[in-house]
Amino acid sequence: MPAGRPRDRAVDDAIRLAVFELIAEQGYQAVTMEGIAARSGVAKQTVYRRYSGRGQALVGALTEHGARHIPVPDTGTLAGDLAALLRDTFDSLTAGIGAVLRAVIAETLHDEALAELYRREHVELRRDVVRELLARARARGEIGPADDEFLVDLVFGPMWYRLLIGHAPLTETLARQLAAAVAAAAAIPAD
Amino acid sequence: MPAGRPRDRAVDDAIRLAVFELIAEQGYQAVTMEGIAARSGVAKQTVYRRYSGRGQALVGALTEHGARHIPVPDTGTLAGDLAALLRDTFDSLTAGIGAVLRAVIAETLHDEALAELYRREHVELRRDVVRELLARARARGEIGPADDEFLVDLVFGPMWYRLLIGHAPLTETLARQLAAAVAAAAAIPAD
Amino acid sequence: MPAGRPRDRAVDDAIRLAVFELIAEQGYQAVTMEGIAARSGVAKQTVYRRYSGRGQALVGALTEHGARHIPVPDTGTLAGDLAALLRDTFDSLTAGIGAVLRAVIAETLHDEALAELYRREHVELRRDVVRELLARARARGEIGPADDEFLVDLVFGPMWYRLLIGHAPLTETLARQLAAAVAAAAAIPAD
Amino acid sequence: MPAGRPRDRAVDDAIRLAVFELIAEQGYQAVTMEGIAARSGVAKQTVYRRYSGRGQALVGALTEHGARHIPVPDTGTLAGDLAALLRDTFDSLTAGIGAVLRAVIAETLHDEALAELYRREHVELRRDVVRELLARARARGEIGPADDEFLVDLVFGPMWYRLLIGHAPLTETLARQLAAAVAAAAAIPAD
DNA sequence: CGCTAACCGAGACGGTACGTCATGTCTTGAC
DNA sequence: GTCAAGACATGACGTACCGTCTCGGTTAGCG
């Protein structure tokens, strides 16, 4: 199976960079397949060769950027771990990733295939971290049997709520309160 | 000041109906100013006379539909009230309003003015109900001083998370677990 | 049956002008739906509303331009009439219409529907003139019964041959020789 | 000077075959450099190595196919020779070469270099045959001094006219009428 | 026998144009 | 002034070819 000309890695970078710059400078509306091509100095077809649409481009740029490694905190207590994780997450969302995530969600809302991709490539990785924190706390005897999936929803729900509805910012206070609330909920015996 | 021809109320209904039908039958993608006009047998300009864009049409159709009255449960306990409220809310989301809300959010994500409108016309009304439940519980001595805004986020966060990310359904179990978790969190002294 | 906004006549003119200018200045290659739109300052969709493609636009611009009236010469003899007609025709072809016709033919060669349109709107009108000249000559007793369709082909064939193959120019000499040859052929009894 | 790998003759054939098949099965529109490559199972670059474009490929395939030898009829009279030549020519045009020629002309209409090539490689060869027939007739004393170039145009003009405009087929009747007309015109003293 | 050069398949790449769709504005005539 | 109809400028969509390029992998002939 002959290979043909290999893909140019520099093009991948140019596209990803263009996506981030467009979203930062002109907002999500400006992220358009045509705009990405123009901004990155790449042919439209070349963008389509990598991503089948705006949404795929956003998810692609995102995962290539942030999925490197998600630090798993270890402070000794569940509440401490959760507070540290949330603080870190809030920081990166506030720094700029938040705008990208909002754009990604806007796309997933009318493309279930993309939603599935996004959940697999991004959401589940974050949920796994919390699952691990819960398992560790349980190993320490800090919490008993519980519905971990519900607890994970409890950890991330308010964050997404504020990020997407925009009625309140992602503050450090929220991180602390949430960590405490989840720890308390984890102590409730599962039903 | 001549009055001119009065607006046709039947047109309002036709437009709203078209929005709901389009979203139900063909999904949010199909909700387009042109599509609404075609489906409702109304001129495009006539739709624009009422709503300045897709987002406004969605929010308009939504508030006209559901904002009539939000029943405030009264079971005697905070957890009971919350569970009842969440059950009702989940039911209506699952029944079809969920798809509309997802569409609305998709729009608000790139239109801050619309987001503000939506929060005022829809989100805050729901938050007010929970605020009232919390106030009642406090009056009963069930809970002490607490950060009510955080508790409201705790109530609605996981719901939006599941609705928008789509990783899990809105079950009755979630309503019960969430009510219990919020009640527990409400018992933690505010800091 | 309500009419909607009427078409802007100025737009028609702008489009036709753009077609002629493009063909004159940059050649047939530059006649592109996108180019026409850009040149005429009109939206692409507006061009498509009138013409369904490059070919239709060319034929449209052509018929609107030249089909006003084809002068029918009357010199008293068939050869004189034909020579006058051919001289006029050659003049207009050499002046610029020739380039348009070449473009039109290029299009008709891969669009039979367009070819049919072109024959009806343009070719047959010219053939009719020669048919009339032949009828007049016959009425004068100048010629006998003959296959007029063949004679018409004889009149126009060499012209198209030179125009499309480009091996020789359309000179006055050709007009004279051709007129004489056709007159001679018309005298041959039909078989 | 090392030679490198020699060209694969089978590839030449595959390309030419693809051109003819495409034109026959899907029409001239389908004759595209990419289409030729795909159809012949050859790399695009390999096609470009032989022909610099669609037009070149068409002319190439054509000359490789038909330019072997053009039979020069010899019936004893000019009219007989011309009729025989035209009959043969019409037959081959109707059989399939006509479609190729139409395609070639479409290309030459916006590529003067190609037009020049085509005239040299194809048109002139046919004209030479008629020039020879005229010379022979003159040697026999059948005709006097005349403008042979004009007579050649008279022979081929109607054929191209019908082939390219498509208003009438290339019949045997036309061959006979045309031969007679040209013979008559050849008898007119040159001016 | 190994080197060098051209060939060949595959397919990426920067382009241009295609024809379609939705946007939001406008103009007309009827009511 | 509302309404149905539909033209209009704008701009993105996703596709198709263009002609060039870079790969890896043959074939030759020349040294």
Side-chain angles (χ1 to χ4, degrees):
Chain A
M1 187 194 310
R5 175 173 171 177
R7 294 211 174 159
D8 188 343
R9 305 283 289 140
V11 162
D12 295 65
D13 296 340
I15 291 176
R16 271 194 300 276
L17 183 61
V19 171
F20 280 114
E21 285 179 350
L22 283 171
I23 221 169
E25 292 168 22
Q26 298 169 253
Y28 156 50
Q29 298 230 71
V31 180
T32 222
M33 292 300 271
E34 215 139 58
I36 293 169
R39 175 66 172 241
S40 59
V42 145
K44 218 172 19 156
Q45 182 66 38
T46 301
V47 184
Y48 276 105
R49 207 170 280 127
R50 286 163 171 72
Y51 305 113
S52 64
R54 192 212 322 244
Q56 327 289 330
L58 282 163
V59 173
L62 185 68
T63 55
E64 201 70 14
H65 169 275
R68 319 274 192 207
H69 56 290
I70 310 158
V72 181
D74 190 354
T75 63
T77 66
L78 178 58
D81 286 354
L82 289 172
L85 175 67
L86 287 169
R87 255 191 301 265
D88 271 13
T89 306
F90 290 2
D91 281 352
S92 106
L93 289 178
T94 308
I97 300 298
V100 182
L101 286 197
R102 288 167 52 94
V104 168
I105 297 304
E107 288 303 306
T108 62
L109 286 175
H110 49 254
D111 182 348
E112 177 49 30
L114 180 65
E116 171 56 27
L117 174 68
Y118 175 62
R119 283 193 296 263
R120 197 173 52 240
E121 298 282 335
H122 194 269
V123 175
E124 284 303 324
L125 302 184
R126 270 77 189 168
R127 292 178 68 88
D128 280 343
V129 173
V130 176
R131 287 185 189 111
E132 190 181 329
L133 297 185
L134 290 170
R136 262 202 239 139
R138 185 165 296 118
R140 282 193 303 264
E142 204 178 335
I143 62 174
D147 183 345
D148 283 11
E149 290 308 299
F150 163 67
L151 291 177
V152 175
D153 287 342
L154 203 60
V155 170
F156 289 123
M159 175 187 89
W160 281 105
Y161 183 29
R162 289 198 179 179
L163 180 67
L164 297 175
I165 303 292
H167 60 288
L170 295 171
T171 60
E172 209 193 305
T173 301
L174 176 63
R176 198 164 18 84
Q177 291 174 321
L178 200 42
V182 173
I188 302 173
D191 40 9
Chain B
M1 186 196 309
R5 174 172 171 177
R7 287 208 177 165
D8 188 344
R9 302 283 289 141
V11 162
D12 296 63
D13 296 340
I15 292 176
R16 269 194 301 276
L17 182 61
V19 171
F20 281 113
E21 286 179 349
L22 282 171
I23 223 170
E25 293 168 21
Q26 297 170 254
Y28 156 50
Q29 297 229 73
V31 180
T32 219
M33 291 302 270
E34 215 138 55
I36 295 170
R39 174 65 174 242
S40 59
V42 145
K44 224 175 14 158
Q45 180 65 34
T46 302
V47 184
Y48 274 103
R49 208 170 279 128
R50 286 161 172 75
Y51 306 112
S52 65
R54 190 208 329 239
Q56 270 70 24
L58 282 163
V59 172
L62 184 67
T63 55
E64 200 71 15
H65 170 274
R68 319 270 192 212
H69 58 289
I70 310 157
V72 181
D74 189 354
T75 63
T77 67
L78 178 58
D81 286 352
L82 289 172
L85 174 68
L86 288 169
R87 254 190 301 266
D88 272 12
T89 305
F90 289 4
D91 281 353
S92 103
L93 289 179
T94 308
I97 300 299
V100 182
L101 286 197
R102 288 167 53 93
V104 168
I105 297 304
E107 287 303 305
T108 63
L109 286 174
H110 49 254
D111 182 348
E112 177 49 31
L114 180 65
E116 171 56 28
L117 172 69
Y118 176 62
R119 285 193 295 263
R120 198 173 52 239
E121 299 280 335
H122 195 267
V123 176
E124 284 303 323
L125 302 185
R126 271 78 188 166
R127 292 178 69 89
D128 280 343
V129 173
V130 177
R131 286 187 189 110
E132 190 181 329
L133 297 184
L134 289 171
R136 261 203 240 138
R138 187 165 295 117
R140 281 193 303 263
E142 205 178 334
I143 63 174
D147 182 345
D148 284 10
E149 288 309 299
F150 163 67
L151 292 177
V152 175
D153 287 342
L154 203 59
V155 170
F156 289 122
M159 175 186 89
W160 281 104
Y161 183 29
R162 290 199 178 179
L163 180 66
L164 297 175
I165 303 292
H167 59 287
L170 295 171
T171 60
E172 207 192 306
T173 302
L174 177 63
R176 198 161 19 83
Q177 291 174 319
L178 198 44
V182 173
I188 302 173
D191 41 11
Chain C
M1 186 196 313
R5 174 173 171 177
R7 292 210 174 159
D8 189 342
R9 302 284 290 140
V11 162
D12 295 64
D13 296 340
I15 291 176
R16 271 194 299 276
L17 183 60
V19 171
F20 280 114
E21 286 179 349
L22 283 171
I23 222 171
E25 293 168 22
Q26 298 170 252
Y28 154 51
Q29 299 230 71
V31 180
T32 225
M33 292 302 271
E34 216 139 55
I36 294 170
R39 176 65 174 242
S40 59
V42 144
K44 220 173 18 156
Q45 180 67 41
T46 300
V47 184
Y48 275 105
R49 206 170 281 127
R50 285 164 173 73
Y51 306 112
S52 65
R54 192 211 325 242
Q56 326 290 329
L58 282 163
V59 172
L62 185 66
T63 54
E64 201 70 13
H65 171 274
R68 318 272 192 210
H69 57 288
I70 310 158
V72 181
D74 189 355
T75 63
T77 67
L78 178 57
D81 287 353
L82 289 173
L85 174 67
L86 288 170
R87 254 191 301 265
D88 272 13
T89 306
F90 290 3
D91 280 353
S92 103
L93 290 180
T94 308
I97 300 298
V100 182
L101 287 197
R102 289 167 53 95
V104 168
I105 297 303
E107 288 303 307
T108 63
L109 286 175
H110 48 256
D111 182 348
E112 177 50 30
L114 180 66
E116 171 57 26
L117 173 69
Y118 175 62
R119 284 193 295 263
R120 198 173 51 240
E121 300 281 334
H122 195 269
V123 175
E124 284 303 322
L125 303 185
R126 271 77 188 168
R127 291 179 69 89
D128 281 342
V129 173
V130 176
R131 287 186 188 110
E132 190 182 328
L133 296 185
L134 290 170
R136 261 201 242 142
R138 186 165 297 117
R140 282 193 303 262
E142 204 178 335
I143 62 175
D147 183 346
D148 283 9
E149 289 309 299
F150 163 67
L151 292 177
V152 176
D153 286 342
L154 203 59
V155 171
F156 289 122
M159 174 185 90
W160 281 105
Y161 183 30
R162 290 199 177 180
L163 180 66
L164 297 175
I165 302 293
H167 59 287
L170 296 171
T171 61
E172 208 192 306
T173 301
L174 176 63
R176 200 163 18 86
Q177 291 174 320
L178 198 43
V182 173
I188 303 172
D191 38 12
Chain D
M1 186 195 312
R5 173 174 172 176
R7 291 209 175 161
D8 188 343
R9 304 282 290 140
V11 162
D12 296 65
D13 296 339
I15 291 176
R16 269 195 301 277
L17 183 60
V19 171
F20 281 113
E21 286 179 349
L22 283 172
I23 221 169
E25 293 169 22
Q26 297 169 253
Y28 155 50
Q29 297 230 72
V31 180
T32 212
M33 292 302 271
E34 216 138 53
I36 294 169
R39 175 67 174 240
S40 59
V42 146
K44 225 175 13 157
Q45 180 65 36
T46 302
V47 184
Y48 274 104
R49 208 170 279 128
R50 285 160 173 76
Y51 305 112
S52 65
R54 190 209 330 240
Q56 269 71 24
L58 282 163
V59 172
L62 185 67
T63 55
E64 200 71 14
H65 171 274
R68 321 271 191 210
H69 57 290
I70 310 158
V72 181
D74 190 353
T75 63
T77 66
L78 178 58
D81 287 354
L82 289 172
L85 174 67
L86 288 169
R87 255 190 300 263
D88 272 11
T89 306
F90 291 1
D91 281 351
S92 106
L93 289 179
T94 308
I97 300 298
V100 183
L101 287 197
R102 288 166 53 95
V104 168
I105 297 303
E107 287 303 306
T108 63
L109 286 175
H110 48 255
D111 182 347
E112 177 49 32
L114 180 67
E116 171 56 27
L117 173 68
Y118 176 62
R119 284 193 295 263
R120 198 173 53 239
E121 299 282 333
H122 195 268
V123 175
E124 284 302 324
L125 302 185
R126 270 78 188 167
R127 292 179 69 89
D128 280 342
V129 173
V130 177
R131 287 186 189 109
E132 190 181 330
L133 297 184
L134 289 170
R136 262 201 240 140
R138 185 165 296 117
R140 284 193 301 263
E142 204 177 337
I143 63 174
D147 182 346
D148 284 9
E149 290 308 298
F150 163 68
L151 291 177
V152 177
D153 287 342
L154 203 59
V155 171
F156 289 122
M159 175 185 87
W160 282 104
Y161 183 28
R162 289 199 179 179
L163 180 66
L164 297 175
I165 303 293
H167 59 287
L170 295 171
T171 61
E172 207 193 307
T173 302
L174 177 63
R176 197 161 20 85
Q177 291 174 320
L178 199 42
V182 172
I188 302 173
D191 39 11

